[in-house]
Amino acid sequence: MEKLDILVKIENSSYYIMPSMMPPSTFDAVCEKIGILTNKCKRTSWLCFKFEFLPPSFFNHLSAWFIRKYNPSKLDSGIALYRGICMFDIEASGGKKIMVTMSSDTIALQVVSFSEQHEGLRSTCSDIFSGVTQLITNIKERYKVKISFKLHFKCSDGYYFKDTFEYEKLTIEKECFCIQHKQMHRSEQIYSPWMNNEGKTIPHRAKISTKQEDHNPKNEPNKEEAQDQASVKTNLPVSVNLRQQLNIKKSKNENPTIFSCIKIDNTLVFTYYRNNRLIICNSDGTDIHHIPLSYQPWFMTVVNINTVAVSCIHDRTILIINISTRSVTSTINTSGNCYGISYNDNNLYVVIDLSIIHVIDLTGKVIRTIPLPSDRIWDITVDRDRLVCTDFTSIYCCSLDGELLWKFKIDKFQDLVYVTTDNERNVYVTYYNTNTVEVISDDGKHHRELLTKSDGLDRPWGIYFDKKENILLVCNYYNGKVFLFDVKRKST
């Protein structure tokens, strides 16, 4: 468990910390407890690793690394380790500290000092930057996750999660305008504490190649894959036609981040996780309205014509929501972080802590558990007597007892996110970085690229197959664009 960063031992103690189980807190509350927002505290600029896609479990690995390297800062009520925000002592006196926090797409670091002596602060920042960059590389290689980030910075008392400055632009322009403070900042003053030893040679974007890409840099399919793709035309006679493209923004300035989507008859529902709400509209894009929630919604499943179940990962909560009355009818607490969720035969199937499924009735009672074929399972869908689940590199089809029936993987795809199935058990998955939707046969032996960027996909995320009308619903992550495709089976 220590090797997987599930448990971390606190140095010079007999205590272990489970990063995924750290209690919640707010940024302001932690700052107040430690005294960061006082005149006695000096703060560097924010170093921000801004990801195109940031898996929620990433912060657990990052905090585990910091726990092993530094001592967690002490508070009156314990230590400063919280879900999504941690503080560590850089030196024994506790005068210098490093804050590590995250938002939905950003990991941010800031060094603070209560000391009158500031020598070595830049060197400290540079060393931390190098260590964290290498850690991210190691995590990606270890778990075979194809993700990338850009370096951003923000002024010391600015918001690290919005209106940040891209490093590449800072190295070009001598000054940058800060929207938050409504004034110009010197660019070098913002990035120099962290880039002391790096100069301008540090890459502004880090991306790790897969083994296949190393040997095949043009991303051309190898012979075996080409033969497989050629046979797909016969074995997967599926075609799609665009029925409608929608934009579910309520205003021009709104950019909803859509994580999950479903279609119930003439109603479309989306999780707008950054703003803690559901977006609901008609299937033609009219009558857009929101249901505000107390938790951050991620995954979603249909319970009945009026009801959906939504999992809120870090809040360890499932919300049962009546979309007709626009109200939360019940709340289910889970024993761990709850990810992918699917409803089947009066029960909810929920991925807990990426490694096991809990079968839960609508009162919250755990009926049984199902082992999973990977400890990084993200999304699931239950289809009659079997379930299909994904981590970021593979698709698994299992019986409802957890027995693996087949596994599908192509090395060049390491960014798959959501999964759904049609009436014939064909599997549809979204690939975030390649802007594609892939369809895989019900036996896992054949596959086909079904939708691409030319079809309007731009960071596709949520996907849902309406088995009643044979309509495939796909939504982009950032721009509020939604697509409905008619799916037909070609005659063979």
Side-chain angles (χ1 to χ4, degrees):
M1 295 180 78
E2 287 187 81
K3 289 182 179 179
L4 294 174
D5 293 336
I6 297 174
L7 288 176
V8 190
K9 191 175 188 297
I10 300 293
E11 188 176 357
N12 299 323
S13 77
S14 59
Y15 297 103
Y16 284 84
I17 290 289
M18 185 177 289
S20 63
M21 297 285 285
M22 292 189 296
S25 186
T26 64
F27 176 82
D28 289 340
V30 174
C31 289
E32 184 177 352
K33 289 177 182 178
I34 297 178
I36 291 176
L37 304 181
T38 65
N39 294 330
K40 297 179 181 179
C41 182
K42 305 296 188 296
R43 305 161 65 186
T44 67
S45 56
W46 285 102
L47 167 66
C48 305
F49 296 86
K50 195 172 183 65
F51 291 78
E52 289 185 340
F53 163 60
L54 180 58
S57 60
F58 214 92
F59 189 81
N60 295 339
H61 295 289
L62 183 68
S63 56
W65 182 83
F66 272 99
I67 291 171
R68 293 187 182 101
K69 191 173 180 64
Y70 302 104
N71 291 320
S73 297
K74 293 182 179 180
L75 303 172
D76 291 339
S77 56
I79 52 178
L81 295 180
Y82 299 97
R83 191 185 311 161
I85 178 169
C86 300
M87 183 71 75
F88 301 92
D89 293 341
I90 297 175
E91 56 185 18
S93 68
K96 289 182 190 175
K97 304 178 187 292
I98 173 75
M99 177 179 283
V100 186
T101 186
M102 72 175 293
S103 63
S104 58
D105 63 354
T106 300
I107 286 175
L109 309 176
Q110 185 178 60
V111 173
V112 304
S113 176
F114 294 87
S115 172
E116 296 296 328
Q117 305 297 322
H118 295 290
E119 291 81 359
L121 200 59
R122 289 194 175 194
S123 177
T124 299
C125 291
S126 182
D127 289 345
I128 292 173
F129 165 76
S130 299
V132 172
T133 303
Q134 184 60 51
L135 173 67
I136 293 173
T137 299
N138 294 342
I139 293 174
K140 292 196 290 184
E141 290 178 340
R142 177 181 180 184
Y143 293 99
K144 307 299 182 186
V145 180
K146 186 179 179 183
I147 57 176
S148 57
F149 65 82
K150 284 187 175 181
L151 285 181
H152 282 235
F153 294 87
K154 193 61 185 283
C155 38
S156 60
D157 57 346
Y159 299 129
Y160 64 86
F161 50 85
K162 69 175 184 177
D163 301 324
T164 53
F165 309 113
E166 189 175 340
Y167 176 57
E168 185 178 28
K169 295 179 180 178
L170 289 176
T171 60
I172 297 173
E173 302 294 336
K174 291 184 177 180
E175 291 184 309
C176 54
F177 181 75
C178 178
I179 296 175
Q180 183 177 343
H181 296 116
K182 296 178 175 58
Q183 68 179 61
M184 299 296 288
H185 293 316
R186 284 180 53 199
S187 299
E188 187 176 0
Q189 206 169 37
I190 292 179
Y191 68 74
S192 62
W194 297 96
M195 314 306 285
N196 184 46
N197 296 334
E198 305 295 338
K200 296 184 180 181
T201 61
I202 190 74
H204 68 281
R205 184 181 180 87
K207 193 169 184 177
I208 303 300
S209 299
T210 64
K211 292 182 179 179
Q212 178 175 340
E213 289 170 333
D214 292 337
H215 295 291
N216 196 4
K218 294 183 180 179
N219 286 327
E220 297 174 355
N222 55 42
K223 291 182 180 180
E224 181 180 351
E225 183 182 326
Q227 290 171 355
D228 188 30
Q229 290 174 341
S231 67
V232 166
K233 295 179 181 179
T234 302
N235 290 285
L236 267 177
V238 175
S239 67
V240 292
N241 293 305
L242 179 65
R243 168 183 283 223
Q244 197 160 11
Q245 176 180 327
L246 311 174
N247 194 324
I248 59 169
K249 295 181 181 181
K250 291 190 73 173
S251 66
K252 291 183 179 180
N253 296 326
E254 184 183 34
N255 280 309
T257 45
I258 305 171
F259 208 87
S260 182
C261 61
I262 58 174
K263 180 179 182 294
I264 309 176
D265 285 347
N266 193 43
T267 302
L268 306 181
V269 187
F270 309 90
T271 56
Y272 186 176
Y273 82 104
R274 281 188 177 176
N275 280 31
N276 291 16
R277 62 185 61 181
L278 297 187
I279 302 175
I280 299 180
C281 66
N282 294 330
S283 57
D284 61 0
T286 60
D287 191 24
I288 300 174
H289 56 271
H290 294 166
I291 300 178
L293 303 173
S294 300
Y295 305 104
Q296 193 174 60
W298 293 70
F299 298 83
M300 179 169 49
T301 187
V302 177
V303 174
N304 58 47
I305 194 170
N306 295 313
T307 308
V308 299
V310 176
S311 65
C312 307
I313 296 178
H314 302 299
D315 299 294
R316 302 183 178 190
T317 300
I318 297 170
L319 302 176
I320 309 299
I321 302 170
N322 187 309
I323 59 174
S324 297
T325 61
R326 305 180 191 179
S327 61
V328 176
T329 59
S330 64
T331 299
I332 298 172
N333 296 320
T334 58
S335 60
N337 291 346
C338 48
Y339 293 84
I341 185 170
S342 186
Y343 183 76
N344 183 65
D345 195 23
N346 298 319
N347 291 317
L348 294 169
Y349 290 70
V350 188
V351 176
I352 302 296
D353 290 333
L354 301 175
S355 58
I356 196 169
I357 289 177
H358 282 185
V359 182
I360 305 173
D361 67 19
L362 291 180
T363 68
K365 179 182 178 182
V366 178
I367 299 171
R368 63 190 180 95
T369 61
I370 303 174
L372 285 171
S374 166
D375 60 0
R376 295 176 288 122
I377 294 299
W378 175 257
D379 189 29
I380 61 165
T381 185
V382 179
D383 189 345
R384 288 162 282 186
D385 61 345
R386 66 184 192 175
L387 62 89
V388 179
C389 55
T390 64
D391 54 23
F392 299 110
T393 64
S394 303
I395 302 163
Y396 306 87
C397 180
C398 304
S399 71
L400 293 187
D401 293 324
E403 179 186 356
L404 182 63
L405 303 177
W406 55 260
K407 175 183 176 180
F408 176 84
K409 179 178 181 179
I410 302 178
D411 285 342
K412 72 177 181 179
F413 293 134
Q414 299 202 9
D415 55 356
L416 63 89
V417 278
Y418 268 57
V419 62
T420 189
T421 56
D422 65 15
N423 289 303
E424 297 177 355
R425 295 188 172 183
N426 294 317
V427 179
Y428 301 77
V429 291
T430 48
Y431 288 85
Y432 180 79
N433 284 330
T434 57
N435 298 316
T436 58
V437 168
E438 195 89 2
V439 57
I440 299 93
S441 61
D442 65 330
D443 58 5
K445 294 181 179 180
H446 307 287
H447 65 96
R448 176 188 169 194
E449 188 178 76
L450 191 67
L451 299 168
T452 67
K453 193 170 185 177
S454 64
D455 295 295
L457 302 190
D458 183 10
R459 301 293 186 257
W461 202 267
I463 188 168
Y464 180 82
F465 194 96
D466 179 357
K467 295 178 180 178
K468 183 178 179 180
E469 297 188 54
N470 285 323
I471 292 176
L472 184 67
L473 171 64
V474 184
C475 60
N476 288 341
Y477 180 59
Y478 284 115
N479 57 19
K481 291 184 178 179
V482 175
F483 308 89
L484 291 97
F485 298 92
D486 289 308
V487 181
K488 297 180 180 179
R489 183 174 179 84
K490 299 178 183 178
S491 58
T492 57

